Amino acid sequence: QLQLQESGPGLVKPSETLSLTCTVSGGSISSSSYYWGWIRQPPGKGLEWIGSIYYSGSTYYNPSLKSRVTISVDTSKNQFSLKLSSVTAADTAVYYCARIPEWELLLDYWGQGTLVTVSS
Amino acid sequence: DIQMTQSPSSLSASVGDRVTITCRASQGISNSLAWYQQKPGKAPKLLLYAASRLESGVPSRFSGSGSGTDYTLTISSLQPEDFATYYCQQYYSTPFTFGPGTKVDIK
């Protein structure tokens, strides 16, 4: 059974960089059939697609966040990561990682999510 | 960007009721639509994709329909475990976008 698990600091100071890692188990991140993505959800609000990455390193970023986002992959560790720079309180959210089948660009497996609070 | 709207934003229903949620895209999305269910404190769960295809393991009381810009999620007989928030998501064009959600609670 595929599992995804987010990890990283739960508190980040304003203007600093948010860094999260998603560890994939029960399947290979190097599969040519899937992308891997990040989605976030501010408390009490809706979902926002942050971006995605293919095992080869090819990325897509939401234009609304593109200038601040970097997603990378480490196939040796079966992990992919998110960096979001210059954070503000508006970046406070639950961050989810997820798998994206290349034939239907939806989110079929999700991590449990991790709350990141931006505060001094 | 394609804007997604949902109606209603919330509804109250009883066990056994038939529930219908509507999702509308700001432009045609050629059935590239998914529905998710989210319970408090949990990640969303994929229910349907390609507007009407049921994800493996999802009960058959969930169904989807629609075309062009207008799509519907129907729960034929609401069960206690179905009280949750439902989101639609278009994957026709980037950036992929979600509807604002419909909260289904107990009447």
Side-chain angles (χ1 to χ4, degrees), chain A residues 66-86:
Chain A
K66 187 173 183 178
S67 64
R68 299 194 290 132
V69 171
T70 302
I71 298 176
S72 59
V73 63
D74 186 337
T75 55
S76 66
K77 295 181 179 179
N78 227 31
Q79 296 176 334
F80 62 106
S81 298
L82 168 70
K83 291 189 185 300
L84 181 66
S85 64
S86 304

Side-chain angles (χ1 to χ4, degrees), chain A residues 20-50:
Chain A
L20 296 174
T21 296
C22 182
T23 300
V24 178
S25 58
S28 173
I29 203 168
S30 299
S31 168
S32 60
S33 301
Y34 300 100
Y35 298 89
W36 304 89
W38 289 97
I39 302 91
R40 69 180 183 178
Q41 184 172 37
K45 297 188 178 180
L47 299 156
E48 180 178 32
W49 193 296
I50 299 171

Side-chain angles (χ1 to χ4, degrees), chain B residues 39-88:
Chain B
K39 296 182 179 179
K42 301 293 188 181
K45 173 188 173 184
L46 178 65
L47 298 177
L48 295 111
Y49 62 97
S52 61
R53 296 186 182 180
L54 205 61
E55 175 70 350
S56 176
V58 174
S60 59
R61 63 181 179 273
F62 291 93
S63 64
S65 65
S67 63
T69 60
D70 296 332
Y71 299 87
T72 299
L73 170 69
T74 298
I75 309 172
S76 61
S77 177
L78 198 66
Q79 298 301 299
E81 61 268 30
D82 301 336
F83 292 96
T85 299
Y86 293 84
Y87 293 94
C88 60

Side-chain angles (χ1 to χ4, degrees), chain A residues 6 39-41 44-49 52 60-64 96 100 103-113, chain B residues 1 31-34 36 38 41-46 48-50 53 55 87 89-91 94-100:
Chain A
E6 304 89 351
I39 302 91
R40 69 180 183 178
Q41 184 172 37
K45 297 188 178 180
L47 299 156
E48 180 178 32
W49 193 296
S52 55
Y60 165 78
Y61 300 139
N62 190 325
S64 68
Y96 296 100
I100 306 159
W103 58 90
E104 300 274 4
L105 299 175
L106 39 77
L107 306 148
D108 65 351
Y109 279 90
W110 296 64
Q112 65 184 23
Chain B
D1 298 8
N31 288 4
S32 297
L33 185 91
Y36 301 88
Q38 186 178 34
K42 301 293 188 181
K45 173 188 173 184
L46 178 65
L48 295 111
Y49 62 97
R53 296 186 182 180
E55 175 70 350
Y87 293 94
Q89 177 231 326
Q90 67 82 17
Y91 51 94
T94 56
F96 304 132
T97 46
F98 297 87

